[in-house]
Amino acid sequence: FSETEKIPVMRGQWFIDGTWQPLEEEESNLIEQEHLNRFRGQQLQESFDMEVSKPVDGKEAIHSLKLSRNHVDWHSVDEVYLYSDATTSKIARTVTQKLGFSKASSSGTRLHRGYVEEATLEDKPPQTSHIVFVVHGIGQKMDQGRIIKNTAMMRDTARKVEEKYFSNLATHVEFLPVEWRSKLTLDGDTVDSITPDKVRGLRDMLNSSAMDIMYYTSPLYRDELVKGLQQELNRLYTLFCSRNPEFEEKGGKVSIVSHSLGCVITYDIMTGWNPVRLYEQLLQKEEEELEDRWMSYEEQRLLEELYITKQRLREIEERLHGLKASTISKPPVLKFKVENFFCMGSPLAVFLALRGIRPGNSGSQDHILPRTICNRLLNIFHPTDPVAYRLEPLILKHYSNISPVQIHWYNTANPLPYEHMKPSFLNPTKEPTSVTDGESTSTAPSPTTSPVMVRRHYGESITNIGKASILGAASIGKGLGGMLFSRFGRSSTTTPEPGKEGAEGEEKKTTTVGTPPLSHSSSGFLEPIVELEHRIDFELREGLVESRYWSAVTSHTAYWSSLDIALFLLTFMYKHDQEDPDKSNLDAV
């Protein structure tokens, strides 16, 4: 969809009795014009009586209009009938009239000017209290209308959830697609011109999808991608507020749902991250390393002179920026405050790790995204999505051993509120020795997940059935096969043999670096020394008959129509309204 395309708005004027379907616009306009010319100023009935379909026997038509395939007779100002002029209809009409039936009762279709129900002031959509910008990732160039279709799916799914759980609320959430890719020129057709012709279809698909990642890592085109999304977000927000002036006055909120690479670009826009800042940090680190090593007198003198010159240069730049800031007030990057930032299938954690972000000692979201910029960060992913990564271990390292929060199924009765779900171990301290043991421990009732199936987390092997054959196949190929096995099986830990659990096991436990000790109760829930203020990683549940390797292919694009995700999004966006128990049909989630 582009701005140059026009979408016709159809307005019904004349409707068919019984079905109340509108006539074709061309015929409707002709009938309306004839009706006004003949009956302008005459009064219609105030309301439709109960026998609107009763034929007007014995009444002669006081006016007629010939159309291309039909004709219309007016028996009075509000008694109008449509007749077909097809040969079979004429024959049938002649026969029935000779049998004593009226023309109207034999083959006429009564028309009504206006709909069966009159519009009232209450006939309007509920006030929008929360808008959600839906940002696409890679591949939009390949199908420019995809984000509009995906947003429509998400909107329709959210409407179903609203009707079931939030029907008593007077406001609603509106989802708006943000298509930022098609307006960018980038390298023009340079990449296409250097693309070989063999397997051209596959190459074009890669050029239209994966190439966006290369563009974003390029210092030449990165800013164009950032500005493209930033300008489109601001344009849509300004346009929405101009058409809904009460939105800002009544404290309307804005959230962003981003997918794939869109999460990284949105994050960089909100935080103002720039590669130049990382380059300056590297230079500073090099200076510190130079100071630590032994240097000759001449080297030391030159280094001090360079340091003084750089310091003087920074002072001049700061003064220059100060002068510019006093004369020109720089507008904010985004024209709105982001309430919730939902990442779906996001590689953001990898980008942050490669930028040098390391776990800290505070459980605050501020470590990666200050709450002054965004009130809440939530990372949603399917357990087999190969593009998605966790964010919590970048804040507190020991959360790599804590399972993500399981997103409730859409039809779960009385779900436990997410705030009350306690963290639980991801990797068991002892691997079950048999399938029976594994099932007995995994199926223990848990108030946090209420599972209906045996849940095997990342740290466990893919399955205990046929385990030896899978491990054998994985050991044959240590290349791509090994990578896939480690990615989707997540077999990152090995359990020591029973006979070797002793001094060696104790030594390994004591030499673990960077992981604070965790205390846990017999119920299996963690009691970590430092906890996150709010959980960030939320994981969809796997299906009962879902193949992990097949879902790895489909899961990255399966978020849009998920009822579970729609309920999850609305739960957090209606959070303030849910504090009043009378406002919602849904228990606190």
Side-chain angles (χ1 to χ4, degrees):
F1 175 76
S2 65
E3 293 182 3
T4 58
E5 296 181 37
K6 295 181 179 180
I7 300 176
V9 178
M10 312 297 287
R11 292 183 173 87
Q13 291 176 311
W14 288 88
F15 296 84
I16 298 171
D17 182 57
T19 62
W20 291 99
Q21 292 296 311
L23 287 180
E24 292 291 335
E25 189 175 25
E26 184 179 354
E27 289 188 347
S28 180
N29 289 339
L30 292 172
I31 297 172
E32 176 68 11
Q33 184 178 355
E34 191 73 16
H35 181 84
L36 291 176
N37 292 339
R38 177 67 178 78
F39 300 101
R40 189 186 299 273
Q42 298 189 29
Q43 294 292 323
L44 290 171
Q45 291 183 8
E46 291 297 324
S47 60
F48 299 113
D49 52 38
M50 295 301 293
E51 299 182 1
V52 291
S53 300
K54 187 175 180 180
V56 284
D57 295 335
K59 279 189 180 182
E60 292 295 330
I62 59 176
H63 189 71
S64 292
L65 171 66
K66 181 71 174 69
L67 301 173
S68 59
R69 293 171 296 175
N70 310 293
H71 74 272
V72 180
D73 286 351
W74 278 263
H75 297 274
S76 69
V77 66
D78 60 347
E79 292 175 320
V80 186
Y81 284 82
L82 177 71
Y83 301 94
S84 172
D85 286 342
T87 304
T88 53
S89 299
K90 288 181 178 179
I91 295 172
R93 192 156 54 237
T94 303
V95 172
T96 52
Q97 282 181 291
K98 287 185 176 181
L99 292 173
F101 294 96
S102 68
K103 178 183 177 182
S105 63
S106 62
S107 61
T109 301
R110 186 166 184 177
L111 303 180
H112 295 286
R113 186 169 182 259
Y115 196 59
V116 63
E117 296 176 0
E118 293 185 357
T120 64
L121 292 174
E122 288 73 28
D123 290 339
K124 59 183 180 180
Q127 180 187 354
T128 300
S129 62
H130 207 130
I131 57 176
V132 183
F133 291 121
V134 184
V135 180
H136 64 79
I138 65 172
Q140 191 67 22
K141 183 183 177 183
M142 197 163 40
D143 182 5
Q144 293 185 8
R146 184 188 299 173
I147 186 59
I148 297 174
K149 298 172 188 173
N150 290 341
T151 305
M153 282 194 291
M154 181 171 279
R155 185 188 298 115
D156 294 342
T157 308
R159 292 291 174 269
K160 294 177 184 177
V161 175
E162 278 185 326
E163 290 173 5
K164 181 173 182 179
Y165 292 116
F166 306 98
S167 58
N168 293 335
L169 297 177
T171 59
H172 85 291
V173 176
E174 184 57 58
F175 293 82
L176 303 175
V178 183
E179 202 288 288
W180 51 268
R181 178 63 176 83
S182 61
K183 297 178 182 178
L184 306 181
T185 55
L186 298 172
D187 63 12
D189 58 352
T190 305
V191 170
D192 291 335
S193 67
I194 61 175
T195 303
D197 289 332
K198 296 298 182 182
V199 289
R200 185 73 189 204
L202 176 60
R203 294 179 188 275
D204 287 341
M205 185 185 70
L206 292 174
N207 286 350
S208 300
S209 54
M211 187 62 64
D212 286 347
I213 301 173
M214 301 180 71
Y215 282 134
Y216 194 66
T217 56
S218 165
L220 190 60
Y221 299 112
R222 180 189 174 278
D223 285 349
E224 188 177 349
L225 269 70
V226 170
K227 288 178 182 176
L229 176 54
Q230 174 191 329
Q231 290 171 0
E232 187 64 8
L233 284 169
N234 287 334
R235 186 189 71 84
L236 289 173
Y237 180 76
T238 302
L239 182 62
F240 181 85
C241 291
S242 67
R243 296 178 178 177
N244 301 269
E246 295 183 351
F247 179 75
E248 286 186 307
E249 296 173 6
K250 296 189 176 181
K253 296 180 180 179
V254 182
S255 292
I256 298 178
V257 173
S258 293
H259 181 243
S260 190
L261 181 66
C263 302
V264 183
I265 305 175
T266 305
Y267 173 88
D268 288 349
I269 290 173
M270 289 193 295
T271 58
W273 187 86
N274 195 297
V276 176
R277 187 183 306 171
L278 183 61
Y279 177 69
E280 290 175 349
Q281 292 174 355
L282 291 173
L283 288 179
Q284 186 177 356
K285 187 177 180 181
E286 286 182 2
E287 289 178 4
E288 292 173 357
E289 290 176 353
L290 282 173
E291 291 174 0
D292 292 339
R293 73 177 181 84
W294 181 89
M295 289 180 291
S296 65
Y297 174 77
E298 184 65 19
E299 277 183 302
Q300 191 171 357
R301 188 183 66 79
L302 289 172
L303 188 61
E304 288 175 358
E305 189 175 337
L306 179 63
Y307 177 78
I308 294 170
T309 305
K310 285 185 177 180
Q311 191 173 17
R312 176 64 178 157
L313 181 61
R314 289 194 191 101
E315 291 174 359
I316 294 173
E317 286 177 344
E318 289 173 4
R319 287 172 59 188
L320 183 61
H321 289 318
L323 287 172
K324 287 183 178 179
S326 61
T327 56
I328 303 172
S329 57
K330 188 178 180 181
V333 177
L334 291 177
K335 295 182 178 180
F336 50 86
K337 166 77 183 295
V338 181
E339 184 70 18
N340 303 292
F341 178 31
F342 298 96
C343 298
M344 298 193 310
S346 169
L348 177 60
V350 172
F351 280 78
L352 295 182
L354 296 179
R355 293 173 185 176
I357 299 293
R358 294 295 179 266
N361 298 319
S362 168
S364 173
Q365 170 190 301
D366 294 347
H367 185 68
I368 55 176
L369 182 61
R371 296 190 67 177
T372 54
I373 298 174
C374 174
N375 187 46
R376 191 75 188 266
L377 171 64
L378 303 107
N379 184 36
I380 305 166
F381 60 94
H382 190 280
T384 59
D385 185 345
V387 181
Y389 290 83
R390 294 190 60 185
L391 282 169
E392 289 176 346
L394 284 181
I395 301 175
L396 293 173
K397 187 171 183 179
H398 62 266
Y399 267 78
S400 61
N401 199 37
I402 296 176
S403 63
V405 181
Q406 298 287 293
I407 293 177
H408 296 306
W409 274 305
Y410 164 71
N411 54 1
T412 302
N414 301 320
L416 187 71
Y418 288 112
E419 289 78 10
H420 299 164
M421 296 173 73
K422 297 179 181 179
S424 59
F425 272 116
L426 184 62
N427 298 325
T429 53
K430 183 179 179 181
E431 186 173 341
T433 54
S434 66
V435 177
T436 308
D437 294 338
E439 291 178 352
S440 64
T441 56
S442 299
T443 54
S446 168
T448 64
T449 58
S450 304
V452 296
M453 60 173 288
V454 177
R455 174 76 185 171
R456 293 180 172 87
H457 294 290
Y458 298 108
E460 297 175 276
S461 55
I462 295 175
T463 177
N464 288 316
I465 303 173
K467 180 177 175 182
S469 60
I470 294 177
L471 288 172
S475 63
I476 294 173
K478 295 183 179 179
L480 182 61
M483 290 168 61
L484 287 173
F485 181 79
S486 63
R487 175 67 178 135
F488 302 123
R490 304 286 182 130
S491 185
S492 58
T493 57
T494 55
T495 306
E497 296 177 11
K500 295 184 179 180
E501 286 185 356
E504 185 180 350
E506 291 295 327
E507 185 179 347
K508 287 183 179 179
K509 290 178 184 177
T510 56
T511 55
T512 303
V513 179
T515 304
L518 300 174
S519 58
H520 57 91
S521 60
S522 58
S523 63
F525 295 116
L526 297 175
E527 297 174 3
I529 295 175
V530 182
E531 288 188 8
L532 290 170
E533 292 177 357
H534 298 287
R535 293 302 301 270
I536 294 175
D537 291 335
F538 294 86
E539 181 187 56
L540 285 166
R541 298 170 187 261
E542 292 183 87
L544 294 173
V545 291
E546 190 174 350
S547 165
R548 285 189 174 182
Y549 289 93
W550 172 245
S551 65
V553 179
T554 60
S555 60
H556 188 58
T557 56
Y559 298 99
W560 307 107
S561 58
S562 169
L563 286 166
D564 300 343
I565 288 182
L567 177 59
F568 180 83
L569 297 177
L570 293 178
T571 296
F572 282 90
M573 284 183 278
Y574 279 131
K575 198 170 184 62
H576 178 72
D577 295 330
Q578 287 178 39
E579 291 174 2
D580 185 352
D582 297 329
K583 286 187 177 182
S584 174
N585 296 332
L586 183 69
D587 292 337
V589 178

